[in-house]
Structures are given as structure tokens and as C-alpha cells.
Amino acid sequence: MYETNYHRPKTLADAAALLAKSDEVKLLAGGQTLLPTMKQRLAAPTDVIDLRHIDDLKGITESGSGGVRIGAAVTHAEVAGSETVRRLIPALASLAGEIGDPHVRHMGTIGGSIANNDPAADYPGALVGLNATVTTNKREMSADDFFTGLFETALEPDEIVTAVTFPAPEKAAYAKYPNPASRYSMAGVFAARLADGSIRVAVTGAGQGGVFRVSEMEQALSSNWSPDAIAGVKVAAGDMLSDIHGSADYRANLVSVMAKRAVAAAG
Amino acid sequence: MGVDGIGARVKRKEDRRFITGKGRYTDDMTAPGMGFAAFVRSPHAHAKVKSIDASAALDMPGVEAVLTGEQLVGDGVGNLICGWMIHSKDGTPMKMGAWRALEPEIVRHVGQAVAVVVADTLAQARDAAEAVVVDYEELPAVVDAVAALEPGAPQIHPEAENNLIYDWEIGDEAAVNAAFDSAKHVTSMEISNNRLVPNAMEPRAALADYDEAEEHYTLWTTSQNPHVARLVLSAFYNIAPEHKLRVIAPDVGGGFGSKIYVYPEEMVCLWASKRTGRPVKWVADRTEAFLTDAHGRDHKSHAEIALDENNRITALRVKTVANLGAYMSLFSSSVPTYLYATLLSGQYDIPAIHCNVKTVYTNTTPVDAYRGAGRPEATFLVERIMETTAREIGMDPAEFRRKNFITEFPHQTPVIMCYDSGDYNASLDAAMKAADYANFGARKAEAASRGKLRGIGMSCYIEACGIAPSQAVGSLGAGVGLWESAEVRVNPVGTIEVLTGSHSHGQGHETTFAQLVADRFGVGTDTVQIVHGDTDKVQFGMGTYGSRSGAVGMSAVVKALDKVEAKAKKLAAHLMEASEGDIVVEGGEFKVAGTDKSTPFFQLALAAYTAHNMPEGMEPGLKEGAFYDPTNFTFPAGTYICEVEVDPDTGKTEIVSFVAADDFGKIINPMIVEGQVHGGLTQGIGQALLENAAYDESGQLITASYMDYCMPRADDVPSFNLMTTETICPGNPLGMKGCGEAGAIGSPPAVINAITDAIGNNELEMPATPERVWRALQAAQPAQAAE
Ligand SMILES: Cc1cc2nc3c(=O)[nH]c(=O)nc-3n(C[C@H](O)[C@H](O)[C@H](O)COP(=O)(O)OP(=O)(O)OC[C@H]3O[C@@H](n4cnc5c(N)ncnc54)[C@H](O)[C@@H]3O)c2cc1C
């Protein structure tokens, strides 16, 4: 790791001011991605700004519309264990509980996860699958607009995610096929029928461009919410990631299998 | 005998220290004025080193020195060597390419060190290492051993034409060919054994301290055999004569073979300590461990087996290409030869065997012994072809094995080994009973009703442990003898120190060796201290690998105990005015049989040291040493039965049951043996399902972190069902065979046999990843997979 300066602001405004100073300044949340990258000398921020001591970024609350609002610095373990999340969106709690291992879940945060937008991360599936809203220190945007590509988001360099708001669905489930080595997602499908009756099928882990929706599955499920309805729907292998753990073909197969399992699990 | 003697489930004494974080590892050691080393490593698999510019690095804060291979060679530091001479079948010696601890001319694998920086702090050393500018000219690389033998492949060492190190053979080729000519059935198959990275929990480390006034070095290092390290560093690498070099291997967090060898880094730390005049410490990070710890396995074989009309095996013919990586590591040459081909008879009576082995240089990390070393490769080959043959001839795999079992001992195989004892039917029977083999069909049907494919597979393994009779290995090319030594020191108040040349890096010697003493004298294990791992404290020793600490190391302790007991009895007889033959040792006392006369152990010890009243001519003190050289290898054997369920949609395998019936001979501590088997099985299952060291064509290791190299975790393995059968080993005083490697040796074929049974396709390589299984399933059942 290269030498760096550590800051621990108490307010969002202080954090934003520090961040605006230069391009070489980085936000630090759980550090589960940033610190390994720095240790491998692949990142060399001059300054890191620890977001974990800012009250505004903490806490899980019931949102006005019957959903949940999760602060950006909330850990995966807190989401997995939250009574509120388990009651209103059990699929989200179980997704958080399947991320990495206990150490990672007690450090990693939802804000860090979505800002990083690793194509193999789990949360992007839930955000897109539930049509969540991302709040930053500057604006609000829909999950569909937030994730723009592999490790790419709509965030500007000096923008900080403050919270994610999830509407409670009518039903939803997440089915994940973990990478055997890293335990990130090789194909994770979040299937949901939202309160307004609309259907969403979001896939993470498999796509070359990060999280994506499968409209053919969404349409099939609108008329018939059952695994059989999507049994014949295949995603194009050409759009899938391919690596030593799984070729594009294999990942395309996993998407179909996990989609069926998610639909079955949602009931 | 007390509860802590031979056969007792004594909890490990050393665990208190380890579990409470009080272990003392090499990285815990410090020395005044210590500097930190960071290596400059090649990013290329094969390249010319055109120039090294250290000027910027030397100007950085805290930097003491930047040292290169040119300086190292100039100072007369010797090349790294392979200590086991193998001759090709044409009689020519193996072709050893020059390996320098820092390479001045041509780097041959990614991660090879070309320079080292010594600085005040680790961070400064690393920053400066990055600032050393090395100008490389890239050369074409080859990573696959078969490809490296092809004409026109990149030439890696000038010494080894076509990258061939040796072309070796064993067995009677003519007899084998004749048996194949008259065979009733022949099964032949290609079998590969995947390359593995050892991944000890503690990475390698070294702290070297040169004392200029005494011209004396001290080296703390992660070694499984500190005396062997000292011998090699002195005799071959010209670091210092043995009496001027102390090697200490303190607590060591796992080795699995990878810490047997002397590596470039500890040599460089020693040399750099003298050069800079300050102690120098280096600790590998995990990436360095992946790139530079000797890897394991990496064989490609063609195997054929011949049967007569009664389904009895008449011959086995094997051709193997073994990848040794970019350099010949310390014992690398012996692994695919004498530790491999000599085990190709398995548990079976095979009249004729011939094996040809070609070992090859490639632009990959050197390969050497890794848990099992050669024997997993042999067992995988034998047990895969046994299973495949049984399937081809339509015979139950257990019955086919049973029919060909060796049942009489001693048994001389056609490949050197003489098996001394065993009962292969007993372990097969025990495993089949425990696995409820007979009712597998019902379980398969039940699994099918849940959409799962259930399969069963077995492996009847044998291995050779207790390495090894010195004269025998000497005649086969070993550069060292493989005996062991021990010293038993009874202190004046009766506590006991046992000094052993074995080294514990997870095996539990502090407990099991103490149990031997407890058993002998009826004293508590808490009065016994095991001393190991320091060349200044312990007489010479050969270290721990090849499951030798029990069969060889403990046998030396037994011999030393015999001597102590004999002297103590003589003294007791003198003190109690009895005849020596009437003295018995019981419950911590020396007694005169048939009387109520007794002398407590501690009192006798005191008498030996006060020496106020000794028998005529007896020397004071109570301390004896012994060397033990085994007369043969030992032959642990057993049967493993694995049952799996495969998810046909994803190809994922779940091991639903695993039975291991092992014959380890006499067992000192069943709990520690179970722990060894658990660990071994988990490593074997890791090889079968998860682990693979994969290189891309340019020679980059693409599985160089845990993001991509898949280590087995607790949830990848079932709760193991273990049992032992026992035939006593006639070759050593305790009757022990060894248990350290069996799990890793026996389990891979059981897993693969089970999966191939489940999916109905025998073509499946390790690791059987979900994708590979899914593809094999599609190939076998196109209709179902396309559904
Ligand atoms: C061993 C291991 C296994 C893992 N397995 C999984 C898995 O199975 N599934 C999964 O989804 N994830 C997994 N992860 C990722 C982990 O759970 C975290 O989600 C991820 O590392 C990022 O979160 P963090 O809080 O650690 O962010 P950090 O590492 O601190 O930051 C990541 C990036 O986000 C930026 N950032 C952080 N917070 C904000 C913010 N509020 N606003 C704007 N930018 C911000 C940082 O500047 C940085 O660039 C794993 C990680 C590890 C180490």
C-alpha cells in the first residue's frame, strides 16, 4: 500500500468538501474492495475519507410508502439481520445474508457495493429488481439510471451515495449461483412482482455490462407467474461474461436456471 | 497405563498456545536494527534481463541497499540445486539448469526475483522495489509440459535440450508388452493430474542475522527441516560452514511439503544481512506465495491395463509427462519417479508393470512434493483405471478390486516396493458396510425423485510412508540419508525433554511424542517437553514430510527411551539392592517385582545426577540419544467410498457421504489421526472439485489469488465417516505406518469415480467444476440437457 492520509469526517458536508478537493481523494466505506486494491498497489489515493462515522449515512428505516430506506454506510450484516427488512422485503435480507462471508458482511456496505458496481455483486440485482431509488448528496435517481456499465455508475466524481430506498414488493426472491472461489455471483437473478403489479427480472453476475433486465421473462411472468412460464426463455450467450469459472454458454444456462428458482422461491 | 499413553485421545498440548494467539512464528521475531527486504520480481514468464537501474530506488528514503544477481554470483553464492539424482533410461544424468537466487540473465517464470531492496521499513522497501527499473526483452514462453517437448518449443535452459530433464523408466517392458499381446481385455485412458498451489496458512518467511565479530549467521525460517536447510545452505550454497550457521524453524503454520525446500529468498536474506551489516527480514505476501511456493502434481499420463479371461490383471503400462516448472526444486526429481511409479501396483497383484516418465521444464513456478507427492498421482491413475475397467467389463467395481487384491505378505511388486503387511479386504469390507453400499440403488432412486443424480465411487489406495531406508534411497539417487534422531534428557527432578529431528508444523508432535514418554514411564505428558526446530539445540535431524515423523521420528525416540530405561533400571537395581531383571516400571515408579520396594521416577533421576551412589563404572546423568534408520517404507492403505449428488441443471456436485477406512498400523493418538485424515481428505476433495493452478499461454498464473484459486471451505465437505482397521507394521518398534497424507492421496479418485457414476460419462478431468460436470452431462445425455 502506498502512503495515504486518512480522514474521519462527522458530517456529510465535511466529507463532500474533502472529496471535492482533488481527483486523488477516495471515499472509504467498508474497505472490502478499496483496501485490497490499495494493498495490491493498484490504487493510490492521496487521501481516504471514511464514511462510517457520519450519522446521516447510517440506519435502516421504514420509508413513507411502506418500503425501506437503507443508509449508504449500513453493512450487509445489518441489512441481513434487520427486523424491518426481513418483515417488508425478506428477499433483500436474504440477499444481503448471502454476500461473501461473515467478515465481509460485517464490513462491506450497501453504498460501497453499488458505487463500485462490480458486475458480480449482488445488490445491483436487488436495486434493479425492486426499482429502488438511489439518493446522493446531490440528487435522486432510479436504479435503472444509476448502473451504467461494468464498474460504471452515474455518480459524478464528487458525489456521495447517502441512501437507497426500496419499495416493498408484492413478492420477490433472489436466487444466486455463487462463484466457487470468490463466492460473488456467477449468475444471480432477482425476480419480483411490485406493488403496482409490474414484473421485474434483474440479472447480476452474468452480463458483460453488469446488471441487466430480461424483458422476455418479465413479459412471460406478467401473464403467468410460474417457473414454467420462463422455462423456454434463454438469454443470449454472446452478452454474457466468460472466464475460468464459467463460459458465456454456461452462464447463460445458469441465468435460466436461477430465474426459474427465483420465481419458484417467491411463490 | 495412564490415560495419556499410547492410544489415548489426548488433547493437543500446543493448541493452548495456538488458539490463544501466542504462537511464535518467524514473522514474530525481531532483531535490533532489522531491515526489511522486498524483492523485485519478473512480470514475464520468459525474458532476458537487459539491465537493472537501481539509481532512483537507492535515492528513496530509508533504502539501505539494492542488490542484484550479478553481485550475488560475484560473491560466490551457489546455485540452487536438486538433491536427488535421476538417470535417464539411456544412462545419462538428469539435466539441471542453473538456478540463481537472484537471476542476472534470463528469467524463466513470472515472479522470479531479479533484485532485492533492503530498507528501514517494509513500506519503504516495497516503494523502492517498484522504483527499480528492469529492462526486459521478452522471449516466447511455454507452460504446458507436453507442448514444451514438441520440436520448436521455446528452449528454456541451455542444459536441457527440448526442455527434457530426464526420460526415465521402471519395470520390465518386454514382459508388459507380452502380457498385452495375449490380453483378453485392455482398457486404456488419458489421465491428467491438475497442478495445485500448497497454500499453507502461514506464508514463507525468513529473518537472517549476521554477526560480523563471530562470522556467524542465525536464520529464523519457515522450514519443515531446519537441519537439512542448514546442510544445503552450507554445503551447496556456500553461505557459511555449518558451525557458523544456526537455523531455527519456530512455530510454522503448515507446510504440506512446500516448506521442505530451501528457496531463493532465505538465501538472499542471509547474504543481504552480511552485505548490509544488519538483520534482514522477509515475509511473503499471498501473491508471492502463489507465484513462488513450489507447486504440486501436474502430470499427463496415458495408462493401459491388461486382463486375462478371469478378469485378473496381467499388466499395467503407463507413460507420464510431468511438469517440473522453470527450475528443479530440491527434491523435485524424486516425486514423479520413486515416489510415483513405485506405487503403481496399488493394492493389486499385478505381475508386470512398466512406466516411462519424462520430466519437462516449462515457464511456470517450480513443482515439487506436495502432500502425498507422487502417490496421489499414482493412486488417481490406478483407481481411475480400475473403476473404468470394471465398468467396461460390467463387473461390480468392488468385486473387480477384491478379485485382484494382494492377500499375502510380504508382497514384492514389480516396481521396487515390498509391501510388508496389510489386509485390503478388511478395509474394503469396513468401508462398504459403513457406506451401506448394498442399498445404494434405493438412495439413487430417491435422489432421482428430487431431480438429483446420485453416484457412488471408491478408491482402494496404498501409499509408502516412513521415508525412508537410507541405503535404499541412496542407491536410487538421494543425496541424503533419511533416518531420524532423538535425544531423551531426564532432568534431575524427573521432568523430561525429548529432542527430535522431526519438525512439527501442525502435526501435534508436542503431544504425541510426549505420549510415548508417558506410556513408557507412567508419568504425565505435562512433565514432558518436546524440543525441535533449532539446529543449536537438537542433534542432526531430517525433518518432517512423507508421513515420517511417526514411523521414523518416533522410532528414534523409542530407541533413546530404551537406552534411558535400561540405564535407569540398572541404577534402580543398584539402589534397591535387587537384580536388574526384577525391576519393572509402573505408574511412574521403579519397582522390584514381587516386593513392595519401589523408587519414584523423580528420585531415581535425582540419584543419577547427584551420583552419590552409582553402580561400579556407571556415568552420572540420565540422558541418551539414538539414531533410527528404517528398514523399509511403511504401507498405509485403505478404502474410501464417496457418494455424491449432482444437480443436473447447474452441474454442481455435493458430496453427501464420505467413508474412510484406513489402516495406519498402530495409532498413538486417535484424535490427532482423525484431524490428519480430515485435513487430507479436504485437500484431496479440493483437488478433485475446486483447486487448479491455471496459466494463460503467456505464462501468467491466472489463479494467483483466492478470488480465482478455489480453496476448499468447511461447507464444501461433508461430515466425514472415519474408521480404522489395523495391521501392525512389522518394520518399526511401534508398528506404525503413518497417516499424514492418506486423505489427500486416496480421496480424489473416489470423488471422480462417484461423479462419473452419477452422470454416466467417464470423461471428466479434475477439478470437476460445475461447468465441466454440466458439459460432461450434456455430452452423455444430450436430450435431457437440452430440455
Ligand atoms: C472476500 C470478499 C467476498 C465478497 N463477496 C461478495 C459477494 O458475494 N457479493 C457481493 O455483492 N459483494 C461481495 N463482496 C464485496 C463487498 O461485500 C462490498 O460490497 C464491496 O467490497 C464494496 O463495499 P465497501 O463498503 O467495502 O466499499 P469500499 O471498498 O470502501 O469502497 C468501494 C468503492 O466505492 C466507493 N464508495 C464507497 N462508499 C461510497 C458512497 N457512499 N458513495 C460513493 N462512493 C462510495 C469507494 O470510494 C470505492 O471506490 C466481497 C468482498 C470480499 C472482500
Side-chain angles (χ1 to χ4, degrees), chain A residues 2 41 177 180-184 244-247 249-250 253-254 257-258 261, chain B residues 126-127 130 647 649-650 652 703 706-708 710 713 715-716 770-771 774-775:
Chain A
Y2 299 96
R41 307 174 84 88
Y177 193 82
S182 74
R183 303 269 170 117
Y184 273 84
I244 52 166
H245 304 289
S247 65
D249 269 5
Y250 180 62
N253 169 66
L254 287 180
V257 174
M258 292 300 123
R261 289 184 185 175
Chain B
R126 289 201 169 152
D127 285 350
E130 208 170 73
D647 177 344
D649 295 334
T650 62
K652 182 158 171 62
T703 51
Y706 294 133
M707 292 301 277
D708 291 308
C710 188
R713 292 176 228 198
D715 63 355
D716 289 314
E771 174 161 8
W774 180 73
R775 288 198 183 281

Side-chain angles (χ1 to χ4, degrees), chain B residues 421-618:
Chain B
S421 65
D423 185 345
Y424 307 143
N425 278 306
S427 43
L428 178 62
D429 289 342
M432 286 173 72
K433 183 155 177 274
D436 191 17
Y437 190 82
N439 292 311
F440 171 71
R443 296 194 294 279
K444 188 177 175 72
E446 188 278 329
S449 75
R450 289 181 280 111
K452 293 287 171 66
L453 305 170
R454 195 157 171 134
I456 193 164
M458 65 171 58
S459 155
C460 298
Y461 77 90
I462 188 163
E463 56 148 333
C465 289
I467 292 172
S470 299
Q471 197 203 336
V473 295
S475 73
L476 301 178
V480 290
L482 289 170
W483 44 265
E484 196 45 87
S485 79
E487 189 175 302
V488 174
R489 298 207 291 229
V490 181
N491 296 318
V493 289
T495 57
I496 300 165
E497 284 146 4
V498 176
L499 288 74
T500 170
S502 298
H503 184 274
S504 185
H505 34 279
Q507 292 84 349
H509 294 170
E510 289 168 49
T511 307
T512 50
F513 282 48
Q515 284 179 256
L516 293 187
V517 181
D519 195 84
R520 180 66 69 102
F521 296 128
V523 297
T525 50
D526 56 344
T527 66
V528 184
Q529 185 77 19
I530 307 302
V531 180
H532 66 92
D534 184 341
T535 57
D536 261 16
K537 290 185 184 163
V538 177
Q539 67 292 340
F540 206 88
M542 296 309 297
T544 288
Y545 38 83
S547 306
R548 67 191 303 277
S549 296
V552 190
M554 281 187 168
S555 295
V557 176
V558 168
K559 282 190 67 182
L561 284 170
D562 287 346
K563 293 185 191 174
V564 169
E565 183 182 339
K567 181 171 182 183
K569 278 182 169 168
K570 211 175 247 158
L571 179 58
H574 174 75
L575 293 173
M576 293 188 283
E577 294 171 341
S579 97
E580 209 185 308
D582 290 339
I583 305 292
V584 292
V585 192
E586 246 177 55
E589 305 206 323
F590 289 81
K591 294 181 177 163
V592 182
T595 74
D596 58 0
K597 280 199 210 168
S598 72
T599 306
F601 189 78
F602 75 88
Q603 217 167 331
L604 192 100
L606 193 60
Y609 283 92
T610 58
H612 293 161
N613 182 12
M614 303 290 277
E616 184 70 31
M618 182 182 277

Side-chain angles (χ1 to χ4, degrees), chain A residues 60-84:
Chain A
I60 299 173
T61 48
E62 224 170 306
S63 71
S65 52
V68 287
R69 178 190 183 281
I70 300 176
V74 171
T75 64
H76 311 328
E78 287 174 281
V79 173
S82 158
E83 183 278 323
T84 309

